[in-house]
Amino acid sequence: MKIKKNDTVVVLSGKDKGKQGKVLSTMPTVGKILVEGVNMADCHVRATRQDQESGIIRKAIPMRASKVMLVCPKCGKATRIGHTSVEENGKTKNVRTCKKCGEQI
């Protein structure tokens, strides 16, 4: 999965098309992500103790990672992710890069 926690993404399709949000968590085994403020659902909660409140709570539910695109922090545009090899201290490591501006993410 190319999208990681704390990345900013934009939704490509669905009821929240065009909205941006921060990735709260990723679930690579099922290919889903949890985005802040996107794909909200009403959950009816019952009080299990006397000091606990019951009611309707809005919370974000996971969505498919293929329905979002990463927003580059440098150029601010939605972009695909490329990988390049960078040498640091004699070791090579793969770094995510923006396909539009070429900067490291």
Side-chain angles (χ1 to χ4, degrees):
M1 185 177 291
K2 296 180 180 182
I3 297 171
K4 296 182 179 180
K5 188 177 177 180
N6 294 326
D7 284 343
T8 303
V9 294
V10 63
V11 180
L12 299 176
S13 64
K15 65 181 181 180
D16 295 319
K17 182 178 179 178
K19 287 187 180 178
Q20 285 190 3
K22 182 178 158 186
V23 177
L24 299 175
S25 68
T26 61
M27 299 161 219
T29 55
V30 290
K32 293 190 176 190
I33 59 172
L34 191 65
V35 183
E36 182 179 36
V38 177
N39 203 24
M40 302 296 282
D42 293 334
C43 295
H44 298 264
V45 178
R46 183 172 63 185
T48 56
R49 297 186 308 255
Q50 282 191 340
D51 60 335
Q52 193 176 25
E53 287 190 30
S54 61
I56 300 170
I57 297 173
R58 293 196 42 87
K59 71 177 197 176
I61 56 175
M63 63 186 304
R64 292 206 156 259
S66 61
K67 291 187 176 262
V68 298
M69 188 176 271
L70 183 76
V71 175
C72 177
K74 308 286 188 215
C75 61
K77 297 178 185 174
T79 182
R80 290 184 292 158
I81 302 167
H83 291 278
T84 56
S85 296
V86 176
E87 243 184 83
E88 288 183 3
N89 302 330
K91 295 182 180 179
T92 58
K93 70 178 204 180
N94 288 330
V95 179
R96 297 187 306 163
T97 58
C98 173
K99 287 250 182 161
K100 292 196 176 178
C101 66
E103 292 291 324
Q104 292 182 5
I105 298 175

